[in-house]
Amino acid sequence: MGRTLALVLPVVLVLSGTLAVATVPWSRSGSSGSVLAASAEKASSRPASRAPQDVLRDQLLLELQEKDAGVALTHLQEAVNGRPSLARHCASIARALGRAAVNKYGPSRAQSFSRPVCDTSFATGVAGVGGQG
């Protein structure tokens, strides 16, 4: 009896599972297009995940506009100290802050915010924009 049950039970489970899947609406050919379109719509509406350094740069640029360059530079240093993986992006973020500071304050005033955050990258950003205009 046990051996018969051991042989018959898997067959019954496979058949019942196959029948259950066959009766699900998405398995029918008529409605599969709408299900695929709906899932593609969901996939395309998701925002692409952004790299942490891009998020940080955007936050700091906003902070520079709302407050001042000194606050943004302080928060850049804190972010790099708290998350060492951001250190390799520190210079490019600081240069972007330097360029934004020139746009907000002008070259002379922007230079007054210069600090030794990420070496002299902020000053390089200031000088790069300041020398052009």
Side-chain angles (χ1 to χ4, degrees):
M1 174 77 175
R3 287 186 184 176
T4 305
L5 186 60
L7 291 174
V8 173
L9 188 60
V11 173
V12 170
L13 290 174
V14 168
L15 288 176
S16 64
T18 304
L19 292 173
V21 170
T23 60
V24 175
W26 51 262
S27 69
R28 295 185 189 127
S29 61
S31 64
S32 66
S34 62
V35 172
L36 290 175
S39 64
E41 208 173 281
K42 287 180 187 175
S44 65
S45 66
R46 285 188 204 133
S49 62
R50 299 179 61 215
Q53 66 272 12
D54 295 336
V55 172
L56 176 63
R57 183 192 62 237
D58 292 348
Q59 287 173 345
L60 294 173
L61 287 169
L62 182 63
E63 194 169 54
L64 185 143
Q65 293 303 318
E66 293 177 350
K67 296 177 183 174
D68 68 39
V71 173
L73 285 169
T74 298
H75 289 156
L76 173 59
Q77 187 64 56
E78 290 171 354
V80 170
N81 291 343
R83 196 167 174 189
S85 63
L86 292 170
R88 65 183 172 159
H89 304 286
C90 187
S92 65
I93 294 171
R95 278 191 300 275
L97 290 172
R99 290 188 296 269
V102 169
N103 291 335
K104 182 175 180 179
Y105 306 112
S108 298
R109 179 138 187 257
Q111 192 63 43
S112 70
F113 290 100
S114 206
R115 299 190 184 157
V117 176
C118 310
D119 298 321
T120 57
S121 298
F122 178 82
T124 302
V126 169
V129 174
Q132 295 173 356

